[in-house]
């Protein structure tokens, strides 16, 4: 069985194509979103998802989140006496999604299509493939997130020809893509975005607005107060997605301070963020060669797209309402599920074709007569359709030079030092005068981020081929097998009811956050609940769970206010 996975920074989801349609796969709590959080328990057990998210507060030293940001980097996390790479932590999330899918589908899941941001570079793509392998899943293919979103939308419309603008707005990043759909072929024609713009910036601006309204310097507040204010700002922002007006109340040095929040205030205090959003949209449009009026559909993805002000902004800018099929959280996972169906060659959708683009430029460094740093000579330009192969011809710069060393770069600067160096290839040449030796350099690049570089001397039979898969992929089969066995030791096949586990983890966290009499109350209900668990009284558990959840919700509000 093959499934689609949206491996997200904050949350991950799985989708599948069956019985003629795409559907999301619920986890053991019956929810589609599984927080991308991993935590270790003393017993050698690994916990993934909502329970692990609670443990971010109670057991931060053995819990990790947001590791997708560091995929393909050298970062390591020291947890429970062992070092973990971001790909190993991601593997635990993938393994959990696989287990949940197997339970839900009643079949073994052996393969997956995983979505990645279009801007992911080679290292990050290779790291994602490695995470799949470590989780014991054959990753059939990576799919770019905007392609997946467009695929999901195209399945829900009758139109044969569409130009989509995918607006994927998360907690910390904005990705804008223009995607063509014509005759069952989906092609990303441009990607743009802002790696430092997301829901977190709205939270910060709302917090600043609160401070400015009361003549407070945010930086002067104690760190804990700053964190509480940001949390309240985020909560208020979410409330504005459901209602027209809300308030932020906070106790500042014994005084209750408040501000009113509505879309007008939000637009005013976050004006600069809208300007940056506009810049990203215009950039994507310009790169695509389309005009505003060519866009037939705007697809919203990512949690921050749920803000009504974002929809209004796009409607004003592009002259049409964004489409609202499904939740912005779910559209990418659904698309990945459909793509998994295409890979499994399901009758109804097998003719669908997805092409992808290279979101960055790939090239070689060439001699720069005017400066000390080499310049970039692009071979594969940003936004080229994949797979692609391009050849360039280069000559020697010095008389009687014995070899040419090509350094391979990825990035948009003409100055190589500012781009990512993927590695180097050298080829021997005959010692002739400068400009007389010529060498063909061919780059072949595919969606999985594998770059094949062929270098061929035109004066001799000298040839070289180097495959760049980045550091993440340099694990030998033996090393990989060893790592897979090692990760297997961390069991995650929890037999009990995940809802019990979540309730206890949440109680534990609230116990730590609260004080005095409230702690006693939590302790008492937790003991009663544990007793109901020990005698496996399902009815008592159900009733108590509802009551305790309501009580915990009230505590949560209390915490937010003080
Ligand atoms: P993602 O990375 O796609 O999960 O998006 C996370 C971001 O979405 C965070 O900044 C959240 O505050 C924001 N978010 C999630 N739900 C909502 C909502 N209902 N209204 C406004 N923002 C939301």
């Amino acid at each position: 069985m093959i499934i689609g996975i949206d491996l997200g920074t904050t949350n991950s989801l799985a989708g599948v194509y069956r019985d003629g349609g795409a559907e999301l796969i619920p986890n053991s709590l019956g929810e589609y979103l599984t927080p991308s959080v991993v935590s270790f328990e003393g017993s050698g057990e690994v916990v993934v998802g909502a329970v692990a998210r609670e443990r971010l507060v109670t057991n931060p030293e053995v819990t990790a989140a947001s590791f997708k940001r560091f995929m393909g980097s050298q970062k390591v996390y020291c947890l429970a006496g062992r070092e973990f790479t971001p790909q190993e932590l991601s593997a635990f999330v993938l393994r959990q999604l696989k287990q949940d899918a197997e339970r839900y589908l009643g079949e073994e899941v052996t393969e997956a299509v995983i979505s990645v941001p279009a801007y992911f570079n080679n290292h990050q793509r290779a790291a994602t493939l490695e995470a799949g392998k470590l989780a014991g899943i054959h990753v059939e293919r990576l799919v770019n997130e905007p392609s997946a979103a467009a695929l999901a939308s195209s399945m829900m419309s009758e139109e044969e020809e569409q130009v989509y603008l995918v607006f994927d707005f998360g907690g910390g990043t904005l990705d804008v893509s223009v995607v063509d759909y014509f005759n069952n072929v989906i092609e990303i024609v441009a990607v743009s975005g802002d790696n430092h713009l997301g829901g977190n910036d709205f939270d910060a601006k709302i917090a600043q607005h609160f401070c400015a309204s009361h003549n407070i310097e945010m930086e002067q507040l104690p760190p804990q107060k700053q964190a509480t204010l940001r949390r309240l700002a985020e909560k208020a922002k979410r409330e504005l997605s459901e209602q027209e007006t809300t308030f932020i109340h906070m106790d500042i040095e014994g005084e209750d301070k408040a501000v009113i929040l509505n879309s007008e205030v939000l637009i005013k205090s976050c004006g600069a963020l809208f300007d940056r959003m506009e810049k990203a949209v215009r950039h994507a449009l310009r790169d695509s060669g389309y005009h505003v009026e060519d866009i037939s559909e705007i697809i919203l993805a990512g949690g921050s797209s749920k803000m009504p002000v974002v929809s209004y902004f796009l409607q004003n800018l592009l002259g049409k309402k964004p489409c609202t099929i499904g939740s912005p959280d779910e559209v990418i996972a659904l698309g990945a599920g459909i793509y998994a169906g295409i890979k499994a060659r399901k009758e109804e959708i097998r003719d669908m074709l997805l092409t992808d683009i290279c979101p960055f430029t790939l090239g070689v460094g060439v001699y720069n007569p005017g400066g000390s740093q080499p310049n970039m000579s692009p071979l594969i330009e940003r936004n080229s359709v994949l797979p692609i192969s391009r050849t360039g011809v280069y000559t020697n710069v010095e008389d009687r030079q014995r070899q040419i060393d090509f350094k391979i770069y990825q990035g948009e600067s003409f100055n190589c030092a500012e781009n990512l160096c993927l590695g180097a290839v050298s080829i021997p040449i005959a010692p002739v005068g400068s400009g007389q030796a010529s060498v063909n350099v061919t780059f072949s690049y595919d969606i999985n981020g594998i770059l094949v570089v062929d270098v061929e001397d035109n004066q001799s039979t000298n040839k070289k081929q180097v495959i760049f898969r980045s550091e993440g992929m340099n694990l030998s089969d033996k090393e990989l097998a060893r790592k897979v066995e090692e990760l297997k030791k961390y069991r995650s096949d929890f037999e009990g009811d995940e809802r019990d586990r979540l309730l206890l983890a949440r109680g534990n966290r609230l116990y730590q956050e609260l004080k005095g009499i409230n702690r006693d109350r939590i302790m008492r209900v937790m003991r009663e609940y544990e007793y109901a668990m020990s005698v496996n009284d399902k009815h008592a558990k159900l009733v108590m769970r509802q009551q305790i959840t309501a009580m915990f919700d009230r505590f949560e509000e209390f915490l937010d206010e003080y």
Side-chain angles (χ1 to χ4, degrees), residues 117-145:
Y119 60 81
F120 251 26
N121 66 25
N122 281 30
H123 292 187
Q124 293 162 310
R125 282 167 199 264
T128 309
L129 293 174
E130 187 186 304
K133 280 191 184 161
L134 291 171
I137 306 174
H138 172 67
V139 183
E140 176 59 41
R141 212 183 116 156
L142 299 175
V143 58
N144 282 327
E145 288 166 2

Side-chain angles (χ1 to χ4, degrees), residues 10-55:
T10 327
N11 293 297
S12 296
L13 300 88
V16 66
Y17 193 91
R18 58 175 190 172
D19 305 330
E23 59 179 302
L24 293 171
I25 298 173
N27 61 23
S28 50
L29 291 167
E31 284 163 8
Y32 295 138
L33 269 70
T34 296
S36 307
V37 186
V38 174
S39 183
F40 296 89
E41 288 193 339
S43 55
E45 198 184 338
V46 58
V47 187
V48 174
V51 175
R53 189 175 53 193
E54 297 292 350
R55 288 170 59 87

Side-chain angles (χ1 to χ4, degrees), residues 10-11 169-171 199-200 203 234 237-238 241 302-304 306-307:
T10 327
N11 293 297
F169 199 18
N200 300 343
D203 307 343
E234 204 253 355
K237 177 189 74 177
R238 283 175 185 258
S241 301
S304 299
K306 290 188 206 161
M307 283 191 277

Side-chain angles (χ1 to χ4, degrees), residues 175-214:
D175 300 319
V176 183
S177 322
V178 179
V179 186
D180 247 1
Y181 171 66
F182 180 65
N183 269 349
N184 277 350
V185 175
I186 287 180
E187 184 178 316
I188 306 185
V189 285
V191 289
S192 174
D194 191 326
N195 279 345
H196 302 282
L197 179 62
N200 300 343
D201 298 284
F202 277 83
D203 307 343
K205 291 275 185 212
I206 295 170
Q208 273 170 16
H209 169 70
F210 176 89
C211 291
S213 308
H214 295 289

Side-chain angles (χ1 to χ4, degrees), residues 451-469:
L451 172 68
V452 181
V453 178
D454 286 291
V455 184
E456 201 175 346
D457 177 19
N458 288 326
Q459 283 70 42
S460 68
T461 52
N462 290 344
K463 272 188 195 169
K464 274 255 177 95
Q465 183 179 75
V466 180
I467 297 175
F468 292 93
R469 297 165 155 214

